Structure formats: structure tokens, C-alpha cells
Amino acid sequence: MPATQIRRRWKAVALATSAVLAGLTAPTLTATPAAATTTAYDSTYYKNAIGKTGPSLKSSLHTIVSSQTKLSYSAVWDALKVTDQDPNNSNNVILLYSGVSRSKSLNGGNTGNWNREHVWAQSHGDFGTSTGPGTDLHHLRPEDVQVNSIRGNKDFDNGGSAVAGGGGSLTDANSFEPRDAVKGDVARMLLYMAVRYEGGDSWPDLEPNDSTTNGSVPYHGRLSVLKQWHEQDPPSAFEERRNDVIYNSYQRNRNPFIDHPEWVGAIW
């Protein structure tokens, strides 16, 4: 069976699960682990990871995704105009948290512009915007300047007050909750970073944990919530296309949790 058909079957199951989960309140929320998938990359790109679990799987994936082409921070501007292009308007990009379609030409630092959001906050490991984790497209997304500022370097968790212009996002003193449509995207981006950056390449060892007060340490939370978001919001066509564009046109590496959602539960 073609990989796309298998992936669609997984999506149908995951979306049905999401519909059930949506009716539950946060305190009683549970998530059904993703079913196993197969992809066209299993016999090539992922061949050394297939069949593994736990630390062995994480180590194999680290080796696989660490082979990548690195971009400069200035090159990220143009790359995001391709990776996050609005499928309904080629002149625009879709902003991650807001969900707004905004002109590609409005990139910058002023009100009404969009800028480069580090989903794994730069300060969580103090890697800044240097080539490496600071320029990795798998966690860099366009976002409204003001909404990006509100998110700041907060960890991710449920709850808070509505973010103005945030498309349904919420925030409180130490956490940020993105709109429902990208909760899984956020989780998979953070977990990619935890696999890709393991303390080599002169960069810190990035790891998820269950805290929302991580500050400048190389951790990001809240892991238990991120795992729920991953199950509730399976990879979308937009997210899959983005993964393909990054792989084929820019970094030559992939986010394995988009291709194999079940690997999140296999590792964490």
C-alpha cells in the first residue's frame, strides 16, 4: 500500500480520536498513542531507526537528522516565505500562532509585520540566532511581531488569558498555549529539537521536561502537555508539505515525528 494511503489511514484514526478528546476537560484529558505508520523514507532515510524504541531510537534519529545543511539567520527570512507559504495565496505566509495570512513583504520588526519565531525559545539553552539551533527551520516559523513578543520565551502549557490577535492562543505569567490547530505542530517542533541537539556541535543538550519555569536552562516544557497536543493534533497537509520543503530545498533533514508520529510515545 502506498505510504500516503497508510498515512491517511493513520490520520483518520487520529482525527477521530481528536474529536473525542476535544469534548473532554483538560484535567481529565487522556490521549491514545499514535498507531504505527510506514513512509517512503523507511528503507532509505530512516532505515537505521526502524524497529528501535527508547534511547536507541532517539540516538539513531539524532544521527540521522544531524546530517543537515545549515542556513544563516538572514537566509531564514527567504526560506520562511517558501516553507510557510499560504496554500491559497502565494503572496502570503501563514503565521503560526495567529493563523493569519500576511504578505511575505511585511517581514520586519514593526507593528503589523511578521518576524522569525523560535518555537524552542533561544534563551532555553542560550543559543541565540547563531547558525545551528538558532537557524534551524524545523522550529522557526513566521509570527506577528506583537504576538511573538507576548509569547517571549515562555514554556508551553494549557490555560491563561486570550492573546490579542493570537487566533485563540492563551497565555499567563509563565506559559503559552497556541491555538488548537497548531498544538501538535508546536509539540513536534520541540521534540525534533530535543533529538537533533544532544550536546554535540558545540551546542547545548536540549531536552523536554515538565516544568514551566525553565528560564535560561536548555529545557522546554511542559512535556506531558506536549504529548497530549501531539495526539490531539496530528500532522496536517501543511505540516507535511513544510517538512518536505525543508528536506528537499534547504536543510536536507526531516522532522521524524511528522513522518512517524508514533515515535513520540516510543521515546517519551
Side-chain angles (χ1 to χ4, degrees):
M1 180 182 295
T4 53
Q5 291 182 16
I6 293 171
R7 185 177 296 172
R8 284 173 187 153
R9 285 192 178 183
W10 174 82
K11 279 192 174 181
V13 174
L15 286 171
T17 303
S18 298
V20 173
L21 292 172
L24 302 176
T25 57
T28 59
L29 184 64
T30 58
T32 302
T37 63
T38 58
T39 78
Y41 298 98
D42 289 0
S43 62
T44 53
Y45 189 73
Y46 292 124
K47 65 180 180 180
N48 291 330
I50 299 300
K52 296 179 179 179
T53 61
S56 178
L57 174 59
K58 189 182 182 196
S59 177
S60 292
L61 292 177
H62 168 71
T63 300
I64 291 167
V65 303
S66 294
S67 177
Q68 72 181 94
T69 300
K70 300 179 179 67
L71 279 69
S72 68
Y73 196 49
S74 60
V76 168
W77 282 123
D78 288 333
L80 292 179
K81 294 175 183 179
V82 180
T83 61
D84 291 75
Q85 178 175 293
D86 183 345
N88 299 313
N89 185 344
S90 61
N91 294 315
N92 289 9
V93 292
I94 300 293
L95 308 187
L96 175 63
Y97 305 131
S98 310
V100 170
S101 177
R102 184 165 294 172
S103 172
K104 292 177 178 179
S105 65
L106 290 176
N107 61 295
N110 298 321
T111 300
N113 289 161
W114 60 268
N115 58 6
R116 297 158 291 187
E117 156 69 336
H118 290 77
V119 178
W120 187 291
Q122 307 171 37
S123 63
H124 291 227
D126 195 28
F127 52 75
T129 60
S130 300
T131 300
T135 66
D136 196 316
L137 288 173
H138 282 296
H139 85 118
L140 285 163
R141 300 290 291 267
E143 186 47 63
D144 174 79
V145 168
Q146 291 177 295
V147 174
N148 196 352
S149 178
I150 291 170
R151 187 266 157 147
N153 70 344
K154 294 176 180 177
D155 290 280
F156 292 96
D157 197 3
N158 292 313
S161 302
V163 174
S169 300
L170 305 174
T171 193
D172 58 23
N174 59 11
S175 71
F176 190 89
E177 178 183 348
R179 61 190 175 101
D180 290 346
V182 296
K183 280 184 165 72
D185 304 51
V186 166
R188 287 180 284 275
M189 285 186 279
L190 291 182
L191 297 178
Y192 159 84
M193 292 293 282
V195 164
R196 169 60 185 88
Y197 299 99
E198 292 277 44
D201 300 344
S202 300
W203 302 114
D205 181 4
L206 306 182
E207 294 295 339
N209 66 7
D210 227 46
S211 173
T212 57
T213 57
N214 282 306
S216 61
V217 295
Y219 305 114
H220 230 306
R222 181 180 300 266
L223 177 59
S224 58
V225 172
L226 294 173
K227 289 170 65 178
Q228 290 176 356
W229 290 355
H230 165 68
E231 297 292 345
Q232 295 167 33
D233 174 36
S236 64
F238 185 93
E239 195 178 357
E240 290 173 345
R241 175 193 171 275
R242 190 176 196 277
N243 200 24
D244 288 339
V245 171
I246 293 173
Y247 176 70
N248 291 318
S249 301
Y250 294 101
Q251 295 186 178
R252 299 298 302 169
N253 72 341
R254 303 183 66 82
N255 182 332
F257 305 115
I258 296 173
D259 294 322
H260 277 278
E262 75 278 10
W263 282 348
V264 169
I267 295 174
W268 288 283

